[in-house]
Amino acid sequence: MQGNRILSKEFFEMSADNLAISLLGKTLVRNIDGQITRYLIAETECYMGVLDTGCQAHRGKTPKTSVLWERGGTLYVHLIYGLYYMLNIIAGKEGDPMGVLIRGVKGIKGPGRLTRALEIGKDFNRENLLLSERIWIEDTGLIPLYKKTPRIGIDYADDIDRNQLWRFVAYDYL
DNA sequence: GTAACGATCCTC
DNA sequence: AGGATCGTTACA
């Protein structure tokens, strides 16, 4: 299984909570001018659509957030605090605005530091993981052991959504 | 126009 | 605890 590119669109069509867990232990692959580097995904968060007050889709479709309604496997890259890019993978079928934030990989903690290290900017917005030549996901066969916690940095969400255990942190792999 | 606000990170 | 830094959004 090592190194197999996940090409099935069905993988990315699962709901964002299941996708966030399924991405733990998978490999994020980045191709920079032929230099291919692989990163083991270690930390994710899910954003569950219009009913999730922590999800940008909750405030309605805008030019910026319309990409959330794209099909699973599409990338959503957005700038936060004018400084850092957040890397998200859209989950579910077209029209279902759920996403998974990649918060960290092995050796790189923090979503802002991750995109900076992998040279992922706004030009990756709307990229399709199933078609891209510069970024994709590979299977590993690894089974992650992980803990669940509330999501980070969403104080604006209501109590219920702020306390949902929608952040997933891998601490080992079998 | 204008102002407020971030799915962060680093330094003090 | 506070500052950096800027695109998006809502509202006048």
Side-chain angles (χ1 to χ4, degrees):
Chain A
M1 288 299 161
Q2 189 88 22
N4 279 357
R5 181 165 179 162
I6 298 172
L7 286 173
S8 76
K9 68 184 185 72
E10 288 77 16
F11 179 81
F12 297 103
E13 284 180 346
M14 69 176 102
S15 63
D17 49 352
N18 287 322
L19 182 62
I21 293 168
S22 298
L23 282 170
L24 295 175
K26 299 294 189 296
T27 304
L28 177 63
V29 189
R30 177 76 171 96
N31 177 1
I32 301 179
D33 299 326
Q35 292 283 354
I36 295 178
T37 313
R38 290 176 165 83
Y39 302 89
L40 193 63
I41 297 175
E43 181 179 342
T44 58
E45 279 178 0
C46 63
Y47 290 83
M48 297 298 287
V50 292
L51 297 180
D52 173 10
T53 58
C55 181
Q56 294 178 5
H58 176 254
R59 302 173 205 196
K61 189 184 285 190
T62 68
K64 174 182 177 177
T65 63
S66 63
V67 61
L68 290 168
W69 277 260
E70 291 292 330
R71 75 189 62 205
T74 305
L75 294 187
Y76 171 43
V77 179
H78 87 273
L79 182 67
I80 191 64
Y81 301 117
L83 291 167
Y84 303 100
Y85 289 102
M86 300 289 100
L87 173 62
N88 295 262
I89 300 173
I90 302 304
K93 297 191 175 183
E94 185 174 356
D96 203 351
M98 303 184 294
V100 175
L101 170 66
I102 308 300
R103 286 196 62 88
V105 297
K106 185 177 182 182
I108 305 175
K109 294 179 178 178
R113 298 180 64 192
L114 170 67
T115 53
R116 189 161 284 187
L118 302 207
E119 299 181 35
I120 293 170
K122 62 182 178 184
D123 56 313
F124 279 73
N125 196 33
R126 295 182 178 276
E127 188 101 341
N128 188 329
L129 276 181
L130 300 174
L131 303 174
S132 178
E133 299 292 332
R134 52 185 185 161
I135 186 170
W136 63 91
I137 305 281
E138 290 176 355
D139 200 357
T140 61
L142 292 174
I143 297 172
L145 302 180
Y146 62 92
K147 62 180 179 181
K148 304 179 184 183
T149 84
R151 292 172 291 181
I152 306 295
I154 54 161
D155 292 345
Y156 51 82
D158 69 23
D159 285 348
I160 292 178
D161 291 327
R162 206 171 45 243
N163 291 316
Q164 293 275 15
L165 301 181
W166 282 344
R167 171 175 174 246
F168 309 95
V169 185
Y171 57 85
D172 201 1
Y173 307 91
L174 302 179

